[in-house]
Amino acid sequence: MTAPKTAIKLHNTATRSKEVFAPIDPQNVRMYVCGPTVYDRAHLGNARPVVVFDVLYRLLREVYGPDHVTYVRNFTDVDDKINARAAESGREIGEITAETTQWFLDDMGALGALEPDAMPRATQYIPQMVAMIEDLIERGHAYAAEGHVLFAVESYKDYGALSGRSVDDMIAGARVEVAPYKRNPMDFVLWKPSSDDLPGWDSPWGRGRPGWHIECSAMSYELLGESFDIHGGGNDLMFPHHENEIAQSCCAHPTGSFANVWMHNEMLQVEGKKMSKSLGNFFTVHDLLEQGVPGEVIRFVFLSTHYRKPMDWTAEKAAGAESKLDDYCRMIEQYADLDAARTVKPLQAILDALGDDLNTHAALVGLDQLANHAMGTELAANLVFLGFFSFEKIERIVAEIRQAKSRLEPLAEKLQAIRSIAMQTKDFSEVDALKQRLNDAGVVVAMSKDGVTLSAGPNFNSAEVEALK
Ligand code: AMP
Ligand code: ZN
Protein backbone atom coordinates (compact mmCIF):
# COMPACT_ATOMS: atom_id res chain seq x y z
CA MET A 1 0.00 0.00 0.00
CA THR A 2 1.32 3.46 -0.85
CA ALA A 3 1.68 5.88 2.05
CA PRO A 4 -1.58 7.67 2.74
CA LYS A 5 -1.81 11.32 1.75
CA THR A 6 -2.66 12.38 5.27
CA ALA A 7 0.12 11.79 7.80
CA ILE A 8 -1.22 11.08 11.27
CA LYS A 9 0.67 11.95 14.42
CA LEU A 10 -0.71 11.03 17.81
CA HIS A 11 0.41 11.82 21.31
CA ASN A 12 1.30 8.53 22.97
CA THR A 13 0.94 8.58 26.74
CA ALA A 14 3.29 5.58 26.94
CA THR A 15 6.21 7.49 25.41
CA ARG A 16 5.04 10.98 26.39
CA SER A 17 5.60 12.19 22.84
CA LYS A 18 3.81 12.87 19.61
CA GLU A 19 4.62 10.04 17.23
CA VAL A 20 4.00 9.28 13.58
CA PHE A 21 1.19 6.74 13.55
CA ALA A 22 2.12 3.56 11.70
CA PRO A 23 -0.51 0.83 12.09
CA ILE A 24 0.57 -2.78 12.56
CA ASP A 25 -1.61 -3.71 9.58
CA PRO A 26 -2.94 -0.86 7.42
CA GLN A 27 -5.55 -3.29 6.12
CA ASN A 28 -6.97 -3.55 9.64
CA VAL A 29 -6.27 -0.60 11.92
CA ARG A 30 -7.44 -1.57 15.41
CA MET A 31 -8.61 0.64 18.25
CA TYR A 32 -10.05 -0.15 21.69
CA VAL A 33 -11.70 2.47 23.91
CA CYS A 34 -12.95 1.84 27.45
CA GLY A 35 -16.69 2.29 27.55
CA PRO A 36 -19.24 3.10 30.23
CA THR A 37 -20.43 1.20 33.26
CA VAL A 38 -24.14 0.90 32.57
CA TYR A 39 -26.16 1.76 35.65
CA ASP A 40 -27.24 5.34 34.93
CA ARG A 41 -27.46 8.04 32.27
CA ALA A 42 -24.12 9.20 30.88
CA HIS A 43 -23.04 12.57 32.20
CA LEU A 44 -21.58 15.16 29.89
CA GLY A 45 -18.01 14.22 30.88
CA ASN A 46 -18.59 10.61 29.81
CA ALA A 47 -19.42 11.92 26.34
CA ARG A 48 -16.03 13.55 25.87
CA PRO A 49 -14.04 10.37 25.14
CA VAL A 50 -16.88 9.16 22.93
CA VAL A 51 -16.74 12.29 20.77
CA VAL A 52 -12.93 12.50 20.77
CA PHE A 53 -12.44 8.88 19.67
CA ASP A 54 -15.31 9.17 17.21
CA VAL A 55 -13.33 11.92 15.46
CA LEU A 56 -10.26 9.68 15.41
CA TYR A 57 -12.37 6.80 14.07
CA ARG A 58 -13.68 9.02 11.27
CA LEU A 59 -10.15 10.15 10.42
CA LEU A 60 -8.82 6.57 10.35
CA ARG A 61 -11.73 5.47 8.16
CA GLU A 62 -11.04 8.30 5.76
CA VAL A 63 -7.30 7.63 5.59
CA TYR A 64 -7.24 3.79 5.61
CA GLY A 65 -10.72 3.10 4.20
CA PRO A 66 -13.91 2.40 6.14
CA ASP A 67 -13.49 -1.37 5.79
CA HIS A 68 -9.95 -1.25 7.16
CA VAL A 69 -10.60 0.01 10.67
CA THR A 70 -11.92 -1.99 13.64
CA TYR A 71 -13.13 0.05 16.58
CA VAL A 72 -14.14 -1.76 19.78
CA ARG A 73 -15.77 -0.09 22.79
CA ASN A 74 -17.04 -2.19 25.70
CA PHE A 75 -20.00 -1.96 28.01
CA THR A 76 -19.23 -2.79 31.64
CA ASP A 77 -22.39 -4.59 32.67
CA VAL A 78 -21.07 -6.35 35.76
CA ASP A 79 -20.04 -3.97 38.52
CA ASP A 80 -20.81 -3.28 42.16
CA LYS A 81 -22.43 0.07 41.28
CA ILE A 82 -24.90 -1.82 39.11
CA ASN A 83 -25.54 -4.31 41.92
CA ALA A 84 -26.17 -1.45 44.32
CA ARG A 85 -28.57 0.21 41.88
CA ALA A 86 -30.51 -3.06 41.52
CA ALA A 87 -30.67 -3.55 45.29
CA GLU A 88 -31.92 -0.02 45.99
CA SER A 89 -34.46 0.04 43.14
CA GLY A 90 -35.66 -3.57 43.42
CA ARG A 91 -35.21 -3.97 39.67
CA GLU A 92 -33.49 -6.77 37.77
CA ILE A 93 -29.84 -6.16 36.92
CA GLY A 94 -30.39 -7.19 33.28
CA GLU A 95 -33.24 -4.73 32.96
CA ILE A 96 -31.13 -1.87 34.33
CA THR A 97 -28.12 -2.60 32.12
CA ALA A 98 -30.21 -3.11 28.96
CA GLU A 99 -32.08 0.15 29.52
CA THR A 100 -28.94 2.13 30.35
CA THR A 101 -27.06 0.68 27.37
CA GLN A 102 -29.80 1.85 25.02
CA TRP A 103 -29.86 5.31 26.66
CA PHE A 104 -26.13 5.56 26.12
CA LEU A 105 -26.40 4.63 22.44
CA ASP A 106 -29.26 7.08 21.90
CA ASP A 107 -27.50 9.96 23.66
CA MET A 108 -24.18 9.38 21.90
CA GLY A 109 -25.98 9.00 18.58
CA ALA A 110 -27.49 12.44 19.17
CA LEU A 111 -23.93 13.76 19.48
CA GLY A 112 -23.11 12.35 16.05
CA ALA A 113 -20.99 9.45 17.31
CA LEU A 114 -20.83 6.49 14.94
CA GLU A 115 -21.35 3.12 16.58
CA PRO A 116 -18.11 1.18 16.97
CA ASP A 117 -17.68 -2.01 14.94
CA ALA A 118 -18.03 -4.09 18.10
CA MET A 119 -19.57 -3.22 21.48
CA PRO A 120 -18.84 -6.25 23.66
CA ARG A 121 -20.63 -6.58 26.98
CA ALA A 122 -18.50 -7.90 29.82
CA THR A 123 -21.04 -10.56 30.86
CA GLN A 124 -20.71 -12.17 27.42
CA TYR A 125 -16.98 -12.78 27.92
CA ILE A 126 -16.80 -14.42 31.35
CA PRO A 127 -15.31 -17.73 30.06
CA GLN A 128 -12.57 -15.80 28.26
CA MET A 129 -11.82 -13.86 31.45
CA VAL A 130 -11.67 -17.08 33.49
CA ALA A 131 -9.29 -18.61 30.92
CA MET A 132 -7.04 -15.56 31.03
CA ILE A 133 -6.97 -15.61 34.84
CA GLU A 134 -6.07 -19.32 34.84
CA ASP A 135 -3.28 -18.58 32.42
CA LEU A 136 -1.96 -15.76 34.62
CA ILE A 137 -1.93 -18.10 37.64
CA GLU A 138 -0.07 -20.75 35.64
CA ARG A 139 2.54 -18.24 34.54
CA GLY A 140 3.12 -17.13 38.13
CA HIS A 141 1.55 -13.67 37.79
CA ALA A 142 -1.55 -14.30 39.88
CA TYR A 143 -2.58 -16.26 42.94
CA ALA A 144 -5.82 -17.49 44.46
CA ALA A 145 -6.59 -16.67 48.09
CA GLU A 146 -9.84 -16.93 50.04
CA GLY A 147 -12.05 -17.16 46.94
CA HIS A 148 -10.28 -14.22 45.35
CA VAL A 149 -7.69 -14.21 42.60
CA LEU A 150 -5.16 -11.40 42.72
CA PHE A 151 -2.63 -10.13 40.24
CA ALA A 152 0.86 -10.00 41.79
CA VAL A 153 2.18 -6.60 40.72
CA GLU A 154 5.73 -7.51 41.70
CA SER A 155 5.71 -10.23 39.04
CA TYR A 156 5.57 -7.63 36.28
CA LYS A 157 8.65 -5.44 36.19
CA ASP A 158 7.10 -2.68 34.07
CA TYR A 159 4.14 -2.17 36.38
CA GLY A 160 3.56 1.59 36.61
CA ALA A 161 5.44 2.49 33.40
CA LEU A 162 2.42 4.02 31.64
CA SER A 163 1.70 6.54 34.36
CA GLY A 164 5.38 6.78 35.32
CA ARG A 165 5.11 5.59 38.92
CA SER A 166 6.95 2.94 40.87
CA VAL A 167 5.09 0.40 42.97
CA ASP A 168 6.45 2.07 46.13
CA ASP A 169 5.20 5.52 45.02
CA MET A 170 1.82 4.01 44.31
CA ILE A 171 1.56 2.45 47.73
CA ALA A 172 2.51 5.76 49.31
CA GLY A 173 0.15 7.84 47.17
CA ALA A 174 -2.88 5.66 46.61
CA ARG A 175 -5.74 4.71 48.81
CA VAL A 176 -5.13 1.01 48.43
CA GLU A 177 -7.44 -1.49 49.91
CA VAL A 178 -5.45 -3.50 52.41
CA ALA A 179 -6.76 -7.02 52.71
CA PRO A 180 -5.35 -10.00 54.58
CA TYR A 181 -5.33 -12.15 51.44
CA LYS A 182 -3.10 -9.69 49.49
CA ARG A 183 0.64 -10.39 49.31
CA ASN A 184 1.34 -6.80 48.30
CA PRO A 185 -1.12 -3.97 49.02
CA MET A 186 -1.01 -2.96 45.32
CA ASP A 187 -2.08 -6.42 44.11
CA PHE A 188 -5.43 -6.04 42.41
CA VAL A 189 -8.46 -8.26 42.06
CA LEU A 190 -8.97 -10.44 38.98
CA TRP A 191 -11.81 -12.45 40.47
CA LYS A 192 -13.86 -12.13 43.63
CA PRO A 193 -16.43 -14.33 45.37
CA SER A 194 -20.15 -13.56 45.04
CA SER A 195 -22.66 -14.15 47.81
CA ASP A 196 -25.93 -15.77 46.68
CA ASP A 197 -27.70 -12.44 46.24
CA LEU A 198 -25.05 -11.14 43.81
CA PRO A 199 -24.43 -12.05 40.19
CA GLY A 200 -21.89 -14.85 39.93
CA TRP A 201 -20.45 -17.45 37.61
CA ASP A 202 -18.91 -20.81 38.43
CA SER A 203 -15.15 -20.81 38.26
CA PRO A 204 -12.18 -22.86 39.50
CA TRP A 205 -12.19 -20.51 42.54
CA GLY A 206 -15.86 -20.94 43.35
CA ARG A 207 -18.87 -18.88 42.38
CA GLY A 208 -17.82 -15.31 41.76
CA ARG A 209 -17.46 -12.39 39.39
CA PRO A 210 -14.59 -10.70 37.59
CA GLY A 211 -12.73 -7.60 38.75
CA TRP A 212 -13.18 -4.59 36.50
CA HIS A 213 -9.80 -4.47 34.74
CA ILE A 214 -9.73 -8.03 33.40
CA GLU A 215 -12.72 -7.46 31.11
CA CYS A 216 -10.89 -5.02 28.83
CA SER A 217 -7.85 -7.32 28.62
CA ALA A 218 -10.00 -10.34 27.76
CA MET A 219 -12.29 -8.57 25.29
CA SER A 220 -9.55 -6.66 23.45
CA TYR A 221 -7.62 -9.93 23.08
CA GLU A 222 -10.66 -11.75 21.70
CA LEU A 223 -11.63 -9.03 19.26
CA LEU A 224 -8.34 -7.36 18.35
CA GLY A 225 -5.58 -9.86 19.17
CA GLU A 226 -2.51 -9.69 21.40
CA SER A 227 -1.16 -6.54 19.67
CA PHE A 228 -3.24 -3.71 18.35
CA ASP A 229 -2.78 -0.06 17.45
CA ILE A 230 -4.60 2.36 19.72
CA HIS A 231 -6.07 2.16 23.20
CA GLY A 232 -8.05 5.14 24.45
CA GLY A 233 -9.99 6.47 27.38
CA GLY A 234 -10.14 9.36 29.81
CA ASN A 235 -6.95 10.19 31.70
CA ASP A 236 -8.68 9.25 34.95
CA LEU A 237 -8.37 5.66 33.73
CA MET A 238 -4.60 5.77 33.24
CA PHE A 239 -4.05 4.55 36.77
CA PRO A 240 -5.04 2.04 37.95
CA HIS A 241 -7.28 0.76 35.15
CA HIS A 242 -4.94 1.01 32.17
CA GLU A 243 -1.87 0.14 34.19
CA ASN A 244 -3.66 -3.03 35.28
CA GLU A 245 -4.88 -3.84 31.77
CA ILE A 246 -1.27 -3.64 30.55
CA ALA A 247 0.01 -5.87 33.34
CA GLN A 248 -2.65 -8.53 32.71
CA SER A 249 -2.38 -8.50 28.91
CA CYS A 250 1.40 -8.35 28.66
CA CYS A 251 1.84 -11.13 31.23
CA ALA A 252 -0.80 -13.36 29.63
CA HIS A 253 0.48 -12.71 26.09
CA PRO A 254 4.21 -11.97 26.43
CA THR A 255 4.80 -12.17 22.68
CA GLY A 256 2.32 -9.36 22.03
CA SER A 257 2.73 -5.65 22.63
CA PHE A 258 -0.91 -5.09 23.72
CA ALA A 259 -1.62 -1.48 22.63
CA ASN A 260 1.06 0.46 20.77
CA VAL A 261 -0.40 3.94 21.21
CA TRP A 262 -2.14 5.04 24.41
CA MET A 263 -4.37 8.07 24.11
CA HIS A 264 -6.04 9.87 26.99
CA ASN A 265 -8.52 12.69 26.87
CA GLU A 266 -8.46 15.32 29.61
CA MET A 267 -11.45 15.86 31.82
CA LEU A 268 -14.55 17.92 31.35
CA GLN A 269 -14.70 20.14 34.38
CA VAL A 270 -17.16 22.13 36.39
CA GLU A 271 -15.54 25.13 38.06
CA GLY A 272 -12.11 23.56 37.89
CA LYS A 273 -13.15 20.13 39.19
CA LYS A 274 -13.66 16.93 37.20
CA MET A 275 -17.31 16.35 36.41
CA SER A 276 -18.15 13.07 38.11
CA LYS A 277 -20.96 11.12 39.61
CA SER A 278 -19.18 10.84 42.93
CA LEU A 279 -18.71 14.62 43.28
CA GLY A 280 -22.34 15.16 42.32
CA ASN A 281 -21.37 18.08 40.06
CA PHE A 282 -22.77 16.53 36.93
CA PHE A 283 -25.59 16.88 34.46
CA THR A 284 -26.45 14.30 31.88
CA VAL A 285 -26.26 14.49 28.10
CA HIS A 286 -29.96 13.66 28.14
CA ASP A 287 -30.69 16.69 30.39
CA LEU A 288 -29.01 19.00 27.90
CA LEU A 289 -30.77 17.49 24.90
CA GLU A 290 -34.08 17.77 26.74
CA GLN A 291 -33.38 21.42 27.45
CA GLY A 292 -33.18 21.92 23.71
CA VAL A 293 -29.41 22.05 23.26
CA PRO A 294 -28.89 20.25 19.94
CA GLY A 295 -26.40 17.38 19.85
CA GLU A 296 -24.33 19.10 17.16
CA VAL A 297 -23.92 22.11 19.46
CA ILE A 298 -22.54 19.90 22.24
CA ARG A 299 -20.21 18.29 19.72
CA PHE A 300 -19.03 21.69 18.44
CA VAL A 301 -18.27 22.93 21.95
CA PHE A 302 -16.28 19.75 22.68
CA LEU A 303 -14.27 20.00 19.48
CA SER A 304 -13.32 23.62 20.02
CA THR A 305 -10.94 22.51 22.79
CA HIS A 306 -8.08 20.09 22.18
CA TYR A 307 -8.73 16.69 23.76
CA ARG A 308 -5.58 16.88 25.89
CA LYS A 309 -6.72 20.06 27.59
CA PRO A 310 -9.26 20.27 30.39
CA MET A 311 -12.43 22.07 29.39
CA ASP A 312 -15.46 23.65 30.97
CA TRP A 313 -18.96 23.48 29.57
CA THR A 314 -20.51 26.95 29.60
CA ALA A 315 -23.84 28.23 28.33
CA GLU A 316 -21.90 30.99 26.57
CA LYS A 317 -19.86 28.49 24.56
CA ALA A 318 -23.04 26.63 23.65
CA ALA A 319 -24.72 29.83 22.44
CA GLY A 320 -21.65 30.70 20.33
CA ALA A 321 -21.59 27.22 18.79
CA GLU A 322 -25.31 27.34 18.07
CA SER A 323 -25.13 30.63 16.23
CA LYS A 324 -22.07 29.50 14.27
CA LEU A 325 -23.79 26.29 13.13
CA ASP A 326 -26.86 28.32 12.32
CA ASP A 327 -24.80 30.64 10.11
CA TYR A 328 -23.28 27.62 8.38
CA CYS A 329 -26.71 26.19 7.62
CA ARG A 330 -27.91 29.46 6.14
CA MET A 331 -24.76 29.61 4.05
CA ILE A 332 -25.46 26.09 2.83
CA GLU A 333 -29.05 26.99 1.97
CA GLN A 334 -27.80 29.81 -0.21
CA TYR A 335 -24.73 28.31 -1.81
CA ALA A 336 -24.66 24.51 -1.62
CA ASP A 337 -25.43 21.79 -4.10
CA LEU A 338 -26.29 19.02 -1.65
CA ASP A 339 -26.29 16.24 -4.26
CA ALA A 340 -22.79 17.20 -5.27
CA ALA A 341 -21.75 17.49 -1.61
CA ARG A 342 -22.30 13.76 -1.10
CA THR A 343 -19.30 12.97 -3.27
CA VAL A 344 -17.02 15.78 -2.05
CA LYS A 345 -13.96 14.57 -0.10
CA PRO A 346 -13.05 16.19 3.22
CA LEU A 347 -10.86 19.27 2.89
CA GLN A 348 -7.18 18.33 3.03
CA ALA A 349 -6.52 21.15 5.52
CA ILE A 350 -9.12 19.61 7.84
CA LEU A 351 -7.63 16.13 7.48
CA ASP A 352 -4.16 17.56 8.14
CA ALA A 353 -5.44 19.37 11.23
CA LEU A 354 -6.94 16.14 12.59
CA GLY A 355 -3.78 14.25 11.62
CA ASP A 356 -1.87 16.61 13.89
CA ASP A 357 -2.87 14.78 17.10
CA LEU A 358 -6.54 15.61 16.52
CA ASN A 359 -6.25 19.37 16.34
CA THR A 360 -10.01 19.76 16.20
CA HIS A 361 -9.84 23.47 16.86
CA ALA A 362 -7.84 23.94 13.64
CA ALA A 363 -10.33 21.69 11.84
CA LEU A 364 -13.14 24.03 12.92
CA VAL A 365 -11.13 26.97 11.59
CA GLY A 366 -11.13 25.07 8.27
CA LEU A 367 -14.94 25.13 8.34
CA ASP A 368 -14.87 28.87 8.93
CA GLN A 369 -12.67 29.36 5.91
CA LEU A 370 -15.09 27.44 3.71
CA ALA A 371 -17.93 29.57 5.05
CA ASN A 372 -15.98 32.80 4.49
CA HIS A 373 -15.48 31.82 0.87
CA ALA A 374 -19.15 30.90 0.42
CA MET A 375 -18.13 27.33 -0.42
CA GLY A 376 -21.45 25.88 0.71
CA THR A 377 -21.09 22.50 -0.99
CA GLU A 378 -17.68 21.84 0.61
CA LEU A 379 -18.95 23.22 3.92
CA ALA A 380 -21.82 20.74 3.94
CA ALA A 381 -19.51 17.83 3.05
CA ASN A 382 -17.05 18.69 5.81
CA LEU A 383 -19.75 19.23 8.45
CA VAL A 384 -20.97 15.73 7.66
CA PHE A 385 -17.42 14.33 7.74
CA LEU A 386 -16.82 15.86 11.18
CA GLY A 387 -20.05 14.30 12.42
CA PHE A 388 -22.16 17.41 13.03
CA PHE A 389 -24.96 16.43 10.67
CA SER A 390 -26.05 13.71 8.31
CA PHE A 391 -26.88 14.79 4.75
CA GLU A 392 -30.52 13.95 5.48
CA LYS A 393 -30.48 16.31 8.44
CA ILE A 394 -28.88 19.12 6.41
CA GLU A 395 -31.55 18.63 3.75
CA ARG A 396 -34.27 18.94 6.41
CA ILE A 397 -32.67 22.07 7.86
CA VAL A 398 -32.33 23.66 4.42
CA ALA A 399 -35.98 22.92 3.69
CA GLU A 400 -36.96 24.58 7.00
CA ILE A 401 -34.85 27.65 6.22
CA ARG A 402 -36.54 27.93 2.81
CA GLN A 403 -39.98 27.57 4.31
CA ALA A 404 -39.25 30.22 6.94
CA LYS A 405 -37.85 32.50 4.26
CA SER A 406 -40.98 32.29 2.15
CA ARG A 407 -43.13 32.90 5.21
CA LEU A 408 -41.00 35.96 5.96
CA GLU A 409 -41.40 37.34 2.44
CA PRO A 410 -44.54 39.45 3.24
CA LEU A 411 -42.89 40.84 6.38
CA ALA A 412 -39.77 41.77 4.41
CA GLU A 413 -42.00 43.66 1.98
CA LYS A 414 -43.86 45.35 4.84
CA LEU A 415 -40.60 46.46 6.48
CA GLN A 416 -39.30 47.69 3.13
CA ALA A 417 -42.45 49.75 2.56
CA ILE A 418 -42.28 51.38 6.02
CA ARG A 419 -38.61 52.02 5.46
CA SER A 420 -39.17 53.77 2.12
CA ILE A 421 -41.61 56.16 3.77
CA ALA A 422 -39.23 56.72 6.68
CA MET A 423 -36.46 57.63 4.27
CA GLN A 424 -38.57 60.58 3.21
CA THR A 425 -40.05 61.63 6.55
CA LYS A 426 -36.75 60.93 8.36
CA ASP A 427 -38.81 59.39 11.15
CA PHE A 428 -37.50 55.87 11.64
CA SER A 429 -39.44 55.05 14.80
CA GLU A 430 -41.83 52.64 13.05
CA VAL A 431 -38.97 50.90 11.26
CA ASP A 432 -37.12 50.46 14.53
CA ALA A 433 -40.25 49.19 16.28
CA LEU A 434 -40.98 46.52 13.65
CA LYS A 435 -37.32 45.54 13.54
CA GLN A 436 -37.35 45.09 17.31
CA ARG A 437 -40.47 42.94 17.20
CA LEU A 438 -38.93 40.81 14.44
CA ASN A 439 -35.76 40.36 16.50
CA ASP A 440 -37.85 39.37 19.48
CA ALA A 441 -39.51 36.70 17.35
CA GLY A 442 -36.09 35.30 16.46
CA VAL A 443 -35.85 36.86 13.00
CA VAL A 444 -32.46 38.04 11.78
CA VAL A 445 -32.93 41.39 10.00
CA ALA A 446 -30.38 42.56 7.44
CA MET A 447 -30.90 46.00 5.87
CA SER A 448 -28.72 47.39 3.14
CA LYS A 449 -29.07 49.87 0.31
CA ASP A 450 -30.31 46.94 -1.81
CA GLY A 451 -33.23 46.26 0.49
CA VAL A 452 -34.33 44.15 3.42
CA THR A 453 -33.53 40.47 3.98
CA LEU A 454 -35.18 38.49 6.74
CA SER A 455 -34.12 35.05 7.88
CA ALA A 456 -34.94 32.75 10.76
CA GLY A 457 -32.40 32.87 13.59
CA PRO A 458 -31.85 30.16 16.23
CA ASN A 459 -34.73 31.47 18.39
CA PHE A 460 -37.19 31.72 15.53
CA ASN A 461 -40.77 31.65 16.79
CA SER A 462 -43.19 31.08 13.94
CA ALA A 463 -46.33 31.88 15.99
CA GLU A 464 -44.98 35.31 16.94
CA VAL A 465 -43.94 35.90 13.35
CA GLU A 466 -47.42 35.09 12.05
CA ALA A 467 -48.86 37.63 14.51
CA LEU A 468 -46.70 40.36 13.00
CA LYS A 469 -48.10 39.98 9.49
P1 AMP B 1 -16.94 5.64 33.79
O1 AMP B 1 -18.31 5.17 33.43
O2 AMP B 1 -16.86 6.55 34.96
O3 AMP B 1 -15.94 4.49 33.87
O4 AMP B 1 -16.42 6.55 32.58
C1 AMP B 1 -16.56 6.22 31.22
C2 AMP B 1 -15.60 7.05 30.41
O5 AMP B 1 -15.83 8.45 30.64
C3 AMP B 1 -14.13 6.83 30.74
O6 AMP B 1 -13.37 6.83 29.54
C4 AMP B 1 -13.76 8.01 31.61
O7 AMP B 1 -12.41 8.35 31.51
C5 AMP B 1 -14.61 9.10 30.97
N1 AMP B 1 -14.90 10.23 31.87
C6 AMP B 1 -15.47 10.18 33.10
N2 AMP B 1 -15.60 11.44 33.61
C7 AMP B 1 -15.10 12.29 32.68
C8 AMP B 1 -14.96 13.72 32.61
N3 AMP B 1 -15.36 14.52 33.58
N4 AMP B 1 -14.42 14.25 31.50
C9 AMP B 1 -14.01 13.46 30.48
N5 AMP B 1 -14.10 12.12 30.49
C10 AMP B 1 -14.66 11.53 31.57
ZN1 ZN C 1 -10.70 -0.56 29.97
Side-chain angles (χ1 to χ4, degrees):
M1 187 179 159
T2 50
K5 202 166 157 202
T6 307
I8 300 180
K9 283 185 175 175
L10 300 172
H11 184 272
N12 187 352
T13 308
T15 59
R16 289 152 187 76
S17 61
K18 197 149 98 175
E19 298 170 349
V20 174
F21 176 64
I24 300 166
D25 175 7
Q27 295 298 314
N28 184 17
V29 181
R30 286 159 288 164
M31 170 160 84
Y32 185 95
V33 175
C34 298
T37 304
V38 279
Y39 66 103
D40 206 350
R41 286 268 183 201
H43 67 62
L44 191 63
N46 297 136
R48 193 171 189 199
V50 174
V51 171
V52 164
F53 292 103
D54 178 65
V55 171
L56 180 55
Y57 182 44
R58 287 167 184 270
L59 175 67
L60 294 171
R61 284 165 63 95
E62 184 60 34
V63 172
Y64 293 95
D67 298 333
H68 300 291
V69 183
T70 308
Y71 173 20
V72 178
R73 187 184 62 215
N74 66 302
F75 281 110
T76 300
D77 62 351
V78 47
D79 184 275
D80 290 345
K81 288 191 280 279
I82 305 174
N83 302 338
R85 185 55 58 95
E88 77 202 16
S89 65
R91 295 178 67 197
E92 291 288 330
I93 285 179
E95 206 184 299
I96 294 174
T97 57
E99 177 183 69
T100 319
T101 298
Q102 193 54 50
W103 283 346
F104 183 84
L105 292 175
D106 292 346
D107 291 346
M108 300 307 135
L111 304 187
L114 300 171
E115 286 194 0
D117 300 286
M119 296 189 280
R121 288 150 173 75
T123 51
Q124 295 169 335
Y125 287 81
I126 304 286
Q128 289 86 341
M129 294 183 217
V130 169
M132 196 170 196
I133 296 170
E134 284 184 298
D135 195 24
L136 285 169
I137 295 176
E138 241 163 69
R139 291 171 187 267
H141 294 291
Y143 55 95
E146 296 179 30
H148 292 72
V149 182
L150 292 130
F151 185 93
V153 291
E154 274 160 319
S155 75
Y156 178 54
K157 68 172 178 16
D158 287 333
Y159 190 74
L162 178 73
S163 50
R165 314 173 198 212
S166 72
V167 173
D168 291 341
D169 291 347
M170 289 189 251
I171 295 174
R175 276 188 299 155
V176 290
E177 195 193 333
V178 205
Y181 47 80
K182 283 189 183 180
R183 289 182 195 161
N184 180 310
M186 287 312 294
D187 289 353
F188 58 88
V189 169
L190 299 172
W191 189 264
K192 55 187 166 187
S194 290
S195 52
D196 290 345
D197 55 327
L198 289 177
W201 292 261
D202 290 330
S203 82
W205 318 287
R207 186 175 173 277
R209 58 196 193 282
W212 168 35
H213 317 295
I214 193 72
E215 72 176 78
C216 290
S217 286
M219 295 189 291
S220 62
Y221 176 67
E222 277 297 306
L223 297 164
L224 299 175
E226 63 177 19
S227 309
F228 57 92
D229 299 298
I230 299 169
H231 192 312
N235 68 356
D236 57 337
L237 298 185
M238 202 187 302
F239 176 80
H241 183 55
H242 290 161
E243 211 70 80
N244 293 355
E245 280 189 34
I246 293 173
Q248 296 161 158
S249 293
C250 292
C251 290
H253 310 293
T255 52
S257 57
F258 192 35
N260 287 347
V261 181
W262 282 86
M263 292 178 70
H264 291 100
N265 62 275
E266 251 291 353
M267 294 291 104
L268 184 88
Q269 301 185 332
V270 182
E271 287 162 7
K273 286 211 178 70
K274 171 189 170 184
M275 177 181 281
S276 75
K277 293 254 163 71
S278 53
L279 290 175
N281 60 349
F282 70 93
F283 45 90
T284 67
V285 174
H286 183 71
D287 288 339
L288 275 185
L289 295 169
E290 289 278 285
Q291 286 160 24
V293 181
E296 60 270 20
V297 167
I298 300 174
R299 188 175 180 97
F300 198 98
V301 172
F302 276 8
L303 297 190
S304 29
T305 299
H306 190 254
Y307 76 94
R308 295 186 62 233
K309 296 216 170 77
M311 71 169 290
D312 273 310
W313 171 268
T314 64
E316 202 180 334
K317 284 185 193 168
E322 183 154 22
S323 92
K324 172 118 335 190
L325 286 166
D326 199 69
D327 287 348
Y328 287 168
C329 290
R330 268 181 286 158
M331 159 76 53
I332 289 169
E333 186 272 325
Q334 263 187 293
Y335 298 106
D337 173 344
L338 287 180
D339 289 332
R342 287 176 185 262
T343 58
V344 169
K345 289 267 165 216
L347 191 70
Q348 190 59 42
I350 289 182
L351 292 173
D352 289 341
L354 297 184
D356 181 16
D357 193 30
L358 299 186
N359 188 343
T360 48
H361 178 78
L364 297 185
V365 172
L367 292 179
D368 252 352
Q369 281 164 353
L370 292 174
N372 292 341
H373 291 91
M375 294 168 75
T377 305
E378 289 76 8
L379 181 59
N382 283 277
L383 281 165
V384 171
F385 167 65
L386 289 170
F388 292 109
F389 300 109
S390 61
F391 279 115
E392 294 69 28
K393 180 145 183 198
I394 294 193
E395 274 159 6
R396 272 202 309 280
I397 293 174
V398 163
E400 279 166 23
I401 294 174
R402 295 206 169 132
Q403 211 185 16
K405 249 191 176 174
S406 74
R407 267 201 256 140
L408 287 168
E409 212 37 63
L411 281 169
E413 282 166 18
K414 181 170 166 184
L415 184 58
Q416 180 58 45
I418 299 174
R419 187 170 172 240
S420 301
I421 298 169
M423 299 263 211
Q424 286 165 15
T425 61
K426 304 283 177 231
D427 173 8
F428 283 87
S429 55
E430 269 195 63
V431 175
D432 291 340
L434 181 54
K435 196 179 154 199
Q436 186 58 50
R437 283 197 303 264
L438 285 164
N439 285 154
D440 292 346
V443 177
V444 180
V445 181
M447 289 196 278
S448 72
K449 59 177 176 15
D450 301 329
V452 170
T453 321
L454 300 184
S455 54
N459 303 316
F460 184 71
N461 182 325
S462 57
E464 278 179 38
V465 167
E466 287 307 312
L468 289 175
K469 281 187 185 165

